[in-house]
Amino acid sequence: MSACRVSPLPVVMGLLAVSVAWGSDWPMLARDARRSGWTPDEFSPPVRRKWYRSFHREGLACGLQPVIASGKVYVGTMHGVMHAIDADTGKDVWTFRAGGAILHSAAIADGRCFFGAADGKVYALDARTGDRLWTCQMQKAIWNAPVVAERKVFIGGRDGYFYALDQASGEIAWRTRLGGAILCSPAYDEGRVYVAAEDMKAYCLSAGDGEVLWTARLYGVSARAYHPVVAGDVVIFTTQPGLGKYGPLDVLLDACRRIGLKPRQRVGADPRGREETSAAKAAKDAHNKPLLKDPKVLARQLELVRELHRQRPHTRSFFAFDKLSGAEPWIAPICWEESCGGPGNPPIVSPDGRRVLVKYALFTWARHGEYTPYLRIGSLDLATGDISPLHDPMVYSMPVGLTHDE
């Protein structure tokens, strides 16, 4: 049975947002309740490091983001310590030790710091002093970042329940049982909460009473460390596919073969099998290079990826649903391609919801003399699911793999 413990509420006068010269706040995972990941701040290189903090003795969970509010940077560690760090100096303003590892980001709202921990508790601290205001005990560990809206703290547990807690007292406003552990961080938009559970379903719940408004099937092995993103009229979910090391690569290779490309072995394109002779490589390169420089061929490659996703839904890891009905408007030609095996970045959405930036993989020709799957940044069309590259796919020097911490 969940129970809440409330500490005496201290005087919190003077907790109005402090004006800071270094930029705007980033008070929760992906900055806002829709998880847009977008900031109005701009900067131009060169940049220099102002300070840094090493947490090698405490450890940081995969997918964790530091959050920033009123001149402080909030970071929770695997040793269960929440650090409030002065954004100008990098020094601790205060620390608080929870009863278990802090496995994801905090959320800062109305002068309070909210987060979950592996001891199964949700904590609310005074964001200025670090004093504990209340805790709420769940049945199992908390492994996602809360979203705060409508004076409620929304968070999921490994016990399979999704909770709405009263922001002021920590009392449970409602809880809803989903089909599996909840390791995905929720998003909120216009009275609805979106989250995925480890039964590989996407859920839309009423923020008012927790009623499940719709569900949709996801493919993959986990939604852990990801979060939904609300973009215009759709909500986007990301998962990690169960395809093995070369699964995403095989989708791209299949698409390339259907175009007429001849993949090489052991160099860039397909690192499996026996090393080819220099003559065989040269012959394939001569055949492939003009094709890979043709924009129409690159566009056709994405069309074929989408076709293969439709035929083999288990290869997908990117899903868009109508945020009101749960209907799927289109399939995006996005192949999961991350280095280090970590969770990748979900899309980034502009404040008006019209511009959506995504990562996608594409076979292109490299200046250093081979073709290889390159991770690109593109703009997603919310009406069709098509992707337009932000930059010329032929303008690069080396392949780049972006991981969860980039």
Side-chain angles (χ1 to χ4, degrees), residues 310-382:
R310 188 174 288 111
Q311 296 169 2
R312 312 170 194 168
H314 65 281
T315 63
R316 299 173 56 197
S317 60
F318 186 97
F319 308 85
F321 305 104
D322 182 280
K323 68 180 185 181
L324 298 182
S325 69
E328 191 169 21
W330 34 258
I331 295 175
I334 293 178
C335 239
W336 187 93
E337 182 69 26
E338 298 291 345
S339 61
C340 301
N345 291 2
I348 297 171
V349 184
S350 64
D352 60 8
R354 296 178 181 175
R355 192 177 192 195
V356 182
L357 303 182
V358 296
K359 296 193 308 187
Y360 67 104
L362 188 69
F363 264 92
T364 51
W365 186 264
R367 285 180 179 171
H368 56 282
E370 65 179 66
Y371 60 96
T372 188
Y374 276 67
L375 205 55
R376 310 300 304 176
I377 305 296
S379 182
L380 178 70
D381 187 326
L382 292 178

Side-chain angles (χ1 to χ4, degrees), residues 12 49 62 78 99 106 109 120 148 161-162 180 201 212 328 343 356-357 383:
V12 292
R49 186 177 68 192
C62 180
M78 298 290 284
V148 182
Y161 282 98
F162 190 81
K201 287 184 180 179
V212 176
E328 191 169 21
V356 182
L357 303 182

Side-chain angles (χ1 to χ4, degrees), residues 2-233:
S2 300
C4 296
R5 179 182 176 186
V6 182
S7 299
L9 183 65
V11 177
V12 292
M13 295 177 65
L15 290 180
L16 296 176
V18 178
S19 174
V20 289
W22 42 264
S24 61
D25 286 352
W26 190 281
M28 62 182 73
L29 176 69
R31 190 173 185 271
D32 52 47
R34 293 183 178 89
R35 307 299 196 194
S36 72
W38 188 288
T39 176
D41 297 328
E42 296 183 5
F43 68 92
S44 300
V47 297
R48 63 182 179 82
R49 186 177 68 192
K50 189 172 184 179
W51 55 262
Y52 80 98
R53 289 285 301 271
S54 174
F55 294 95
H56 63 280
R57 293 183 181 275
E58 297 183 49
L60 299 177
C62 180
L64 176 143
Q65 289 181 6
V67 299
I68 306 168
S70 300
K72 297 184 187 69
V73 181
Y74 298 85
V75 177
T77 71
M78 298 290 284
H79 275 211
V81 179
M82 178 60 67
H83 295 260
I85 302 168
D86 186 287
D88 288 321
T89 67
K91 305 296 184 182
D92 281 339
V93 177
W94 55 257
T95 61
F96 174 89
R97 182 172 290 277
I102 300 172
L103 301 171
H104 219 308
S105 304
I108 312 300
D110 299 322
R112 298 178 179 218
C113 173
F114 305 98
F115 63 93
D119 61 351
K121 289 181 180 178
V122 178
Y123 291 81
L125 309 180
D126 184 319
R128 181 176 62 87
T129 65
D131 293 334
R132 183 172 61 183
L133 305 180
W134 54 256
T135 62
C136 190
Q137 180 68 58
M138 311 309 183
Q139 298 177 35
K140 292 186 179 180
I142 306 295
W143 201 333
N144 59 130
V147 65
V148 182
E150 297 187 5
R151 307 291 298 175
K152 298 186 186 78
V153 179
F154 298 100
I155 196 164
R158 287 185 66 92
D159 57 8
Y161 282 98
F162 190 81
Y163 296 88
L165 308 179
D166 182 90
Q167 178 180 316
S169 67
E171 296 291 337
I172 297 175
W174 52 259
R175 68 174 188 170
T176 299
R177 183 65 183 261
L178 305 186
I182 303 167
L183 310 180
C184 169
S185 299
Y188 167 90
D189 181 58
E190 298 181 340
R192 296 180 177 221
V193 182
Y194 303 93
V195 72
E198 292 302 282
D199 61 348
M200 300 316 294
K201 287 184 180 179
Y203 290 84
C204 172
L205 291 79
S206 166
D209 60 11
E211 177 188 359
V212 176
L213 302 177
W214 57 258
T215 65
R217 181 174 181 179
L218 302 172
Y219 292 88
V221 295
S222 181
R224 181 182 70 83
Y226 292 101
H227 53 266
V229 176
V230 179
D233 294 330

Side-chain angles (χ1 to χ4, degrees), residues 235-315:
V235 56
I236 297 168
F237 288 80
T238 312
T239 65
Q240 186 161 347
L243 298 176
K245 183 176 181 180
Y246 296 113
L249 180 66
D250 284 334
V251 174
L252 289 170
L253 286 171
D254 198 344
C256 288
R257 291 188 182 100
R258 295 187 186 196
I259 295 171
L261 294 168
K262 297 179 179 178
R264 298 192 308 188
Q265 287 183 341
R266 296 297 300 276
V267 180
D270 192 351
R272 295 164 292 183
R274 298 179 60 184
E275 183 73 51
E276 293 179 327
T277 65
S278 297
K281 293 175 188 176
K284 287 186 175 181
D285 290 349
H287 171 83
N288 291 324
K289 191 170 184 178
L291 290 174
L292 285 168
K293 287 190 172 183
D294 185 345
K296 292 181 180 179
V297 171
L298 297 179
R300 178 58 180 155
Q301 186 181 147
L302 291 179
E303 291 174 11
L304 287 169
V305 168
R306 172 182 277 154
E307 202 173 292
L308 290 167
H309 281 335
R310 188 174 288 111
Q311 296 169 2
R312 312 170 194 168
H314 65 281
T315 63

